[in-house]
């Protein structure tokens, strides 16, 4: 308790004339107050502990479920592309690869675009347009993922197949590296399409968090920068971004978390093939898409167990991403402080 | 007093509704026959008041559920082998038949325009035939000009009885397929994009230019997709329709496999559609709850007797009468309650 503040009991008991009955009732009231406090304390603690219990329960269940698969295939489970339900030989390389590649495409597109939108909204946008654009972006976050999936399959994928992908394939035909990345045939469906859909889904997270933190930059800082002759780009790069970096990185991580775990929309457009291909236009699969597709009909213990092992890997990847984010933030803060 | 009366009535009501629920037969499994099972269940409920609750969770799920004894019967598109039936004490019999058809999305190609054979289909799904103007396809289709366009093979991403029957057919025709890919409800596919469920494959083929897929016939029809003709075992090109499905079924020797587990792929006969498939029911020979199993058998008997027209309306093929008699004889000799009394007699 800070100095100068008085304890409740002092206030109550230091009254000038306290009769016996009044004192008794006061102490009863106090007792009741203390009881409420104890209960409240207990409730909050239980709630917090429940989360811990749930988390460890999930981890334990995943480890037990994954044990047969990991025991059978050992370490090679992580580096094997085979996924053969007929011979019951499973490896997680293709889903891990697909998860990382689609999320990387999504972040590569969503981060710069999201930052630009956020900066436009906070600095350059005419007042009348700010609210409509802001609300539109937040609505993007509210669209259920299955809608993105259906739209992706029925509208976006055919468009990509007929117009965008042939263009990429022809243009980069003789460019080394790019010709491998954009090798045909154009299916419309594949890792590239899944990455683009994910980018759209991640965009609102990056944008709205960046916008909120950009708004928190003290105007006097920006005005001072403009005052000494900085361009808008310089203000963005050397004033706004450094001031808000913690919040912005938080937004990235939220977005990345969504991209890694997104299931429905990805399942619709990725092609669900257990292959590791250099070409981004080739069909692939992600961890969550594999589980969603195959779990209900997985026949045999090893098959089911391999899918659970995939879940455990996704859990681990997400955990690593969060841990890395924390670590980066700590480093940044130390350097600044 | 009034309160007591209401409470009594409420209890009585709760009890009656509870017993009404208890008469409901529960089943789970294959999605392939789901439309016809629900149609039968609906008509059966109207006629007898007894309901059937069928969960279309897939063949693998159906097998798991019946083994866990959470349902009265399981349904599967991939028959269990005799050994597994004996070990688990399950009886298996076919309930209805359907057909799998290849569907394509090529500019200017209408339903029935294209003709394929099993060997070509296997090569397409193994990635050996990559373009629609491949000589192997051109040889079968002298009358139409096919574009130089990449083939996009579409297949199931979930485990599926449809995949099982499709792969079984390809393995019959192509030794290469049998050795490299094999037969199961889920496969390691060499090429192509995966989609969930019959409807997923149908949608993907509908949306992707140059694609080919395989679906249960009703899905091809409902989605107005271009099905292909197939060259059958005797070398004749056949259209997929009730006549060619029935022709394939008529030639089957149902008693050649334990639990009637005959796959109807590649049947002989001029008219036979090569990718016809049956779907099976799994039920315990000595059920824990004999009464509900007897109810389920009554429902199946009713469906065999009165469900043919409903099945045909949905493009399924009813089981031939001879086979039905045989199945019902099996029920009366093999499915018994704890005291050894048969749960079904063909006359009732």
């Amino acid at each position: 308790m800070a100095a100068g503040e008085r304890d409740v009991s002092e206030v109550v008991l230091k009254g000038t004339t306290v009769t016996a009955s009044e004192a008794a009732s006061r102490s009863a009231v106090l007792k009741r107050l203390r009881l409420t406090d104890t209960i409240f304390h207990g409730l909050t603690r239980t709630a917090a502990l429940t989360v811990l219990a749930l988390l460890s329960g999930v981890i334990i269940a995943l480890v037990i479920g994954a044990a047969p698969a990991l025991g059978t295939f050992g370490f090679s489970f992580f580096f094997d592309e085979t996924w053969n339900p007929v011979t019951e030989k499973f490896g997680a390389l293709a889903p891990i690869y697909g998860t990382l590649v689609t999320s990387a495409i999504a972040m590569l597109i969503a981060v710069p675009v999201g930052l630009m939108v956020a900066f436009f909204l906070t600095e350059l946008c005419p007042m009348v347009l700010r609210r409509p654009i802001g609300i539109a972006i937040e609505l993007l976050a509210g669209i259920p993922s299955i809608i993105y999936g259906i739209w992706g399959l029925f509208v976006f994928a055919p468009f990509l197949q007929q117009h965008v992908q042939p263009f990429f394939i022809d243009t980069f035909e003789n460019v080394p590296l790019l010709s491998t990345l954009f090798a045909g045939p154009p299916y419309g469906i594949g890792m590239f399409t899944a990455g683009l859909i994910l980018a759209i889904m991640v965009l609102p997270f990056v944008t709205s968090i960046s916008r909120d933190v950009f708004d928190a930059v003290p105007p006097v800082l920006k005005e001072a920068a403009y005052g000494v002759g900085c361009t808008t780009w310089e203000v963005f790069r050397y004033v706004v971004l450094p001031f808000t970096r913690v919040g912005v990185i938080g937004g990235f991580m939220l977005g990345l978390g969504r991209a890694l775990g997104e299931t429905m929309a990805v399942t619709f457009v990725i092609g669900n093939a257990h292959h590791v291909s250099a070409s981004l236009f080739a069909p692939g699969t992600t961890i969550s898409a594999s589980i969603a597709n195959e779990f209900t009909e997985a026949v045999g213990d090893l098959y089911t167990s391999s899918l659970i092992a995939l879940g455990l890997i996704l859990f681990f990847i997400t955990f690593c991403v969060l841990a890395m984010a924390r670590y980066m933030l700590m480093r940044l803060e130390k350097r600044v402080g | 007093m009034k309160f007591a009366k209401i409470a009594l009535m409420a209890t009585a009501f709760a009890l009656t509704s509870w017993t009404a629920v208890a008469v409901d037969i529960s089943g789970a499994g294959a999605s392939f026959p789901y439309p016809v099972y629900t149609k039968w269940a609906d008509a059966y409920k109207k006629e007898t008041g007894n309901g059937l609750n069928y969960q279309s969770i897939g063949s693998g799920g159906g097998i798991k559920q019946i083994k866990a004894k959470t349902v009265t019967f399981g349904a599967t598109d991939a028959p269990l082998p005799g050994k597994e039936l004996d070990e688990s004490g399950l009886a298996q019999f076919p309930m209805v038949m359907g057909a799998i058809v290849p569907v394509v999305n090529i500019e200017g190609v209408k339903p029935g325009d294209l003709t394929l054979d099993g060997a070509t289909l296997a090569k397409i799904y193994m990635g050996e035939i990559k373009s629609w103007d491949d000589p192997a396809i051109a040889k079968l289709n002298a009358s139409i000009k096919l574009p130089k366009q990449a083939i996009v093979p579409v297949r199931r991403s979930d485990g599926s009885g449809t995949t099982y029957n499709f792969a079984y057919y390809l393995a019959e025709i192509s030794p290469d397929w049998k050795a490299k890919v094999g037969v199961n409800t889920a496969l390691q596919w060499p090429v192509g994009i995966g989609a969930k469920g019959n409807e997923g494959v149908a949608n993907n083929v509908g949306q992707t230019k140059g694609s080919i897929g395989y679906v249960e016939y009703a899905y091809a029809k409902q989605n107005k997709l271009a099905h292909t003709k197939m060259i059958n075992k005797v070398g004749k090109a056949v259209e997929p329709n009730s006549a060619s499905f029935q022709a394939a079924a008529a030639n089957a020797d149902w008693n050649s496999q334990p639990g009637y587990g005959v796959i109807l792929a590649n049947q002989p006969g001029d008219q036979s559609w090569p990718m016809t498939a049956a779907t099976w029911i799994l039920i315990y020979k000595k059920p824990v709850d004999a009464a509900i199993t007897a109810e389920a058998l009554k429902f199946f008997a009713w469906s065999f007797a009165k469900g043919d027209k409903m099945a045909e309306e949905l493009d399924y093929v009813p089981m031939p009468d001879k086979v039905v008699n045989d199945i019902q004889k099996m029920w009366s000799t093999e499915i018994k309650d704890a005291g050894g009394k048969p749960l079904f007699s063909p006359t009732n």
Side-chain angles (χ1 to χ4, degrees), chain B residues 116 152 157 164 174 207 213 246 251 310 343:
Chain B
L116 293 173
V152 187
S157 59
Y164 180 90
S174 155
Q207 293 309 314
Q246 263 157 9
N251 286 309
M310 284 177 258
L343 290 174

Side-chain angles (χ1 to χ4, degrees), chain A residues 192-226:
Chain A
F192 181 70
T193 315
L196 289 186
I197 295 271
L198 280 180
I200 302 172
M201 297 179 74
V202 165
L203 187 64
F205 288 82
V206 178
T207 309
S208 43
I209 290 178
S210 311
R211 190 193 55 185
D212 289 351
V213 292
F214 287 175
D215 263 338
V217 178
V220 67
L221 282 184
K222 288 180 276 182
E223 281 158 18
Y226 284 123

Side-chain angles (χ1 to χ4, degrees), chain B residues 62-291:
Chain B
I63 294 169
K64 270 186 208 157
Q65 293 297 322
I66 185 71
K67 283 192 174 165
K69 304 191 179 172
T70 53
V71 287
T72 321
F73 69 90
T76 174
D77 296 335
L80 290 185
K83 193 164 156 273
E84 200 175 340
L85 289 173
D86 290 342
E87 276 167 7
S88 49
L90 285 165
Q92 174 178 271
F93 57 91
M95 194 65 216
V96 70
M97 294 172 285
I100 299 156
V101 298
V103 286
V104 295
N105 180 349
I106 311 167
E107 203 77 52
V109 171
K110 289 186 286 301
D113 276 3
L114 195 72
T115 306
L116 293 173
D117 61 9
T120 313
L121 206 52
K123 277 188 185 143
I124 290 176
Y125 273 92
M126 291 181 83
E128 286 165 19
I129 295 179
K130 292 186 165 71
S131 175
W132 283 112
D133 60 356
D134 192 279
I137 303 174
K139 206 173 77 193
L140 296 166
N141 299 280
S143 57
I144 52 172
K145 176 106 181 69
L146 287 161
K148 183 177 163 47
Q149 186 176 28
I151 301 179
V152 187
V154 183
R155 39 78 181 179
R156 295 284 289 270
S157 59
D158 49 341
S160 145
T162 315
T163 297
Y164 180 90
N165 281 294
F166 182 70
Y168 191 98
Y169 168 66
L170 296 183
E172 284 275 291
I173 300 270
S174 155
D176 239 21
W177 181 277
K178 200 171 196 169
K180 287 187 192 152
V181 186
V183 181
N184 207 336
T185 51
L187 304 168
Q188 179 165 32
W189 294 91
V191 288
I193 54 181
K196 199 168 165 62
N198 269 304
E199 58 279 20
V201 173
N203 281 330
N204 267 287
V205 171
Q207 293 309 314
T208 313
K209 287 266 179 289
S211 60
I212 181 168
Y214 59 90
V215 289
E216 206 270 320
Y217 179 59
Y219 289 91
K221 211 168 145 181
Q222 280 159 17
N223 290 289
K224 300 193 174 59
L225 295 169
H227 61 252
T228 69
K229 282 189 218 154
M230 287 295 296
I231 307 280
N232 65 12
K233 194 171 190 177
V234 295
K236 294 250 161 57
V238 280
E239 273 276 347
N241 53 38
S242 315
S244 62
F245 306 157
Q246 263 157 9
N251 286 309
D253 178 12
W254 288 99
N255 291 319
S256 65
Q257 294 289 329
Y260 306 89
V262 178
I263 307 285
L264 295 172
N266 208 24
Q267 290 292 319
D270 279 3
Q271 290 299 312
S272 297
W273 178 253
M275 283 184 277
T276 311
T279 180
W280 287 265
I281 299 287
L282 295 168
I283 201 158
Y284 275 104
K285 288 180 179 170
K286 290 198 176 53
V288 184
D289 188 346

Side-chain angles (χ1 to χ4, degrees), chain A residues 298-318:
Chain A
V299 193
D301 295 338
L302 211 51
Y303 195 174
T304 318
S305 172
S306 300
L307 287 169
I308 297 174
L310 280 186
L312 186 64
I313 293 171
L314 182 59
F315 199 99
F316 183 72
I317 293 177
T318 321

